[in-house]
Amino acid sequence: MLGGVVMTVVSAIAPAIKASRVPPLAAVRTVTTTTVTQRRTKLMVGAIMTVVGVGATAFAARSVNLAVLGAGAVATVLGVALLAPSIVPPFIHVLATPIRRLRGVSGQLAEENATRGAQRTATAAAALMIGTALIAASLVLAASINTSTNKILDQGVRSELIVSADRVSGIGPTVTEAIRSTEGVATVAQYRYGSFKIGNATKLVVAMDGPSLDATNPNGALDLDVLSGSFSGLDGGGVAVSERVASDHRWKVGNTVPMVFATGPHPQKIVATFKTTAFGDYIISLKTHQGVFTDALDQLAFVNIEPGANVETVKGRISSLLKTAAPSSKVQTQKEYGAQIRAQVSQLLNLITALVLLAIIIALMGVLITMLLSVLERTHELGLLRAVGMDRRDVRSMVRWEAAIISTFGAALGVALGIGLGYALTRTLRDQGITTMELPYRSLIIMILAVTVAGVMASLYPARRASRLNVLQAIATD
């Protein structure tokens, strides 16, 4: 509540200063008081903020720094908002070309009205721009996560079946042995994890046996694209680290990692480096895990089936076993496991999108207010248009198309910013396994159309009010 009040007061400071500087004669004559110097200053500040914001975002994408990314995104959005009045005329001219051809005079007047009040058009579109930018970035991020997940599962996971457990219960040793003894099962690769410290930083370590990570092993579970050394060295003690971690610490095979576990310091020698980080940056063997952790629960079990065995049949046998031995665990194919991950991502991003949609609704209220003020200020002009032959239908059409132009302008700018932000997010999170950027073209186009339609709906009342003005009274208005 305090934040809302403070932000509202802060947002009123600039308009209050501007209002206090309006000359009395200018107020009587209803003319703009914006000077060329003010416009140039705003243009310069907007250009500087945009350049700084884009630069910070690009730096964050390269250095994997989410804090800098957030600051860069805010600076970019504010910079574009300040530049928006300057790009309104050419941008709207392009947007309005089909409208002019379709609606004739009404479309032309709608374009001229939106261009004439460039500052007001930009202000109304700015709120829509921010909302659509956030949604567009979420859509790009979700599509990229889904594509990257599919790529990881297709290229990195070699097992036909995956048994997963919730984080509390895990998969006990007896359950793992029962799965290993199931008819049709060739091998079972166990996957565990835990935490350790390097200095004051807490890190996650994964435990798997070397043969399950060997790309040459026909019964291997994962292919993490080894770069140097060999995962076979894990079974004799040691740790494998990702390429990113090795680069950050300037480590190479043979160096020692000062790992500190809950049971005490246990330095581990690096035996391999690898590229794929979706399953962790640090990997030790199950034997090493048992020596430094007190629990022995698996979180995943990668199941390879015997040659000639039917995947669905083996899956059914394991599923029947889990119903009694581990009810909180479940067995899935690669495709099903990927769908589960995508569903979890979509659920989170859908919640974010729903919250951002509230901001777009508020922005549409801004379009409504803008159109009402536009109708009020152009009362005399509307009266003259009616007097020279424009009927009520054309007046309504003019106001609606003006709102459509403003909404499309804001949505298009937002989508462009959202794509850039989504790309930066994807690059920043590449160490988390998001290695491929995907543009959901259809969803982005649908969003622009939806925002445009919503803007037209918001203008229905102002359009109706404009069409019902008394012609004589409107002409007499000065």
Side-chain angles (χ1 to χ4, degrees):
M1 290 177 63
L2 180 61
V5 172
V6 171
M7 291 302 297
T8 303
V9 173
V10 169
S11 66
I13 292 176
I17 295 174
K18 185 176 180 180
S20 69
R21 294 177 178 176
V22 175
L25 290 178
V28 172
R29 295 172 183 173
T30 320
V31 296
T32 179
T33 59
T34 302
T35 65
V36 174
T37 302
Q38 290 174 330
R39 289 195 296 269
R40 287 179 178 175
T41 300
K42 184 179 292 187
L43 181 63
M44 189 188 321
V45 173
I48 293 174
M49 291 188 68
T50 302
V51 171
V52 171
V54 171
T57 303
F59 172 79
R62 289 178 59 86
S63 61
V64 193
N65 192 318
L66 285 173
V68 175
L69 175 64
V74 171
T76 302
V77 170
L78 292 178
V80 172
L82 291 173
L83 289 175
S86 301
I87 63 177
V88 162
F91 206 112
I92 285 184
H93 180 73
V94 174
L95 289 177
T97 298
I99 299 175
R100 291 196 307 272
R101 296 177 179 176
L102 179 67
R103 296 303 302 171
V105 174
S106 297
Q108 182 176 353
L109 288 174
E111 177 194 354
E112 292 177 355
N113 290 334
T115 305
R116 181 173 52 184
Q119 180 61 54
R120 176 169 292 171
T121 297
T123 302
L128 286 173
M129 175 188 71
I130 295 172
T132 52
L134 293 175
I135 294 180
S138 299
L139 291 173
V140 171
L141 181 60
S144 300
I145 290 175
N146 291 339
T147 301
S148 299
T149 299
N150 292 336
K151 182 178 178 181
I152 290 170
L153 292 176
D154 292 340
Q155 299 179 3
V157 179
R158 302 169 61 191
S159 301
E160 293 87 352
L161 298 173
I162 301 172
V163 179
S164 58
D166 60 58
R167 295 189 175 186
V168 177
S169 59
I171 304 172
T174 56
V175 177
T176 302
E177 289 304 317
I179 295 173
R180 189 174 280 119
S181 302
T182 301
E183 182 182 354
V185 173
T187 59
V188 176
Q190 298 164 256
Y191 178 97
R192 302 174 185 172
Y193 58 75
S195 60
F196 71 99
K197 283 192 173 184
I198 296 181
N200 294 323
T202 300
K203 303 293 183 179
L204 188 71
V205 64
V206 169
M208 293 188 74
D209 282 331
S212 63
L213 300 172
D214 186 357
T216 63
N217 181 7
N219 287 320
L222 300 178
D223 183 1
L224 302 183
D225 194 5
V226 64
L227 299 175
S228 61
S230 173
F231 286 114
S232 60
L234 290 176
D235 294 337
V239 60
V241 298
S242 67
E243 178 186 25
R244 179 186 66 85
V245 169
S247 176
D248 290 344
H249 293 276
R250 297 182 180 180
W251 289 336
K252 59 183 180 180
V253 173
N255 292 155
T256 299
V257 180
M259 307 176 75
V260 179
F261 298 90
T263 54
H266 293 275
Q268 301 291 325
K269 184 177 293 185
I270 298 175
V271 298
T273 61
F274 56 91
K275 186 174 182 180
T276 303
T277 61
F279 295 93
D281 286 315
Y282 299 84
I283 302 177
I284 57 177
S285 68
L286 293 174
K287 182 179 179 181
T288 302
H289 184 280
Q290 292 171 357
V292 296
F293 291 100
T294 56
D295 65 89
L297 296 177
D298 301 324
Q299 292 302 318
L300 295 173
F302 296 94
V303 181
N304 290 329
I305 66 173
E306 295 177 347
N310 183 273
V311 174
E312 290 299 327
T313 301
V314 177
K315 176 187 173 184
R317 292 170 183 161
I318 297 176
S319 180
S320 299
L321 167 68
L322 295 177
K323 286 181 181 179
T324 55
S328 62
S329 302
K330 56 184 174 181
V331 57
Q332 299 169 297
T333 62
Q334 279 190 34
K335 186 175 181 180
E336 292 169 341
Y337 185 72
Q340 174 185 312
I341 295 176
R342 290 192 296 272
Q344 293 172 350
V345 173
S346 298
Q347 185 177 11
L348 175 61
L349 293 179
N350 286 341
L351 175 61
I352 296 174
T353 301
L355 294 174
V356 175
L357 281 175
L358 295 177
I360 290 184
I361 293 174
I362 296 172
L364 291 172
M365 294 297 295
V367 173
L368 169 64
I369 295 171
T370 297
M371 299 313 301
L372 282 173
L373 289 173
S374 178
V375 170
L376 179 63
E377 291 180 354
R378 297 204 303 263
T379 299
H380 184 72
E381 176 185 326
L382 291 170
L384 290 175
L385 290 174
R386 290 294 312 281
V388 298
M390 178 175 277
D391 58 23
R392 290 183 174 182
R393 180 181 178 183
D394 288 335
V395 171
R396 290 195 298 268
S397 177
M398 177 185 68
V399 176
R400 289 197 300 265
W401 281 116
E402 183 180 350
I405 291 172
I406 294 174
S407 301
T408 306
F409 174 66
L413 276 182
V415 167
L417 285 173
I419 291 174
L421 179 57
Y423 172 76
L425 276 170
T426 302
R427 291 288 299 164
T428 305
L429 298 174
R430 62 187 180 275
D431 293 330
Q432 308 302 320
I434 307 175
T435 56
T436 304
M437 179 183 174
E438 182 73 17
L439 278 181
Y441 297 100
R442 182 180 302 177
S443 298
L444 295 175
I445 292 173
I446 290 175
M447 183 174 66
I448 292 177
L449 294 176
V451 171
T452 300
V453 172
V456 173
M457 296 295 291
S459 70
L460 291 180
Y461 173 68
R464 182 174 179 271
R465 182 169 177 175
S467 67
R468 292 180 175 272
L469 290 174
N470 184 286
V471 177
L472 295 178
Q473 290 181 354
I475 293 175
T477 301
D478 192 355

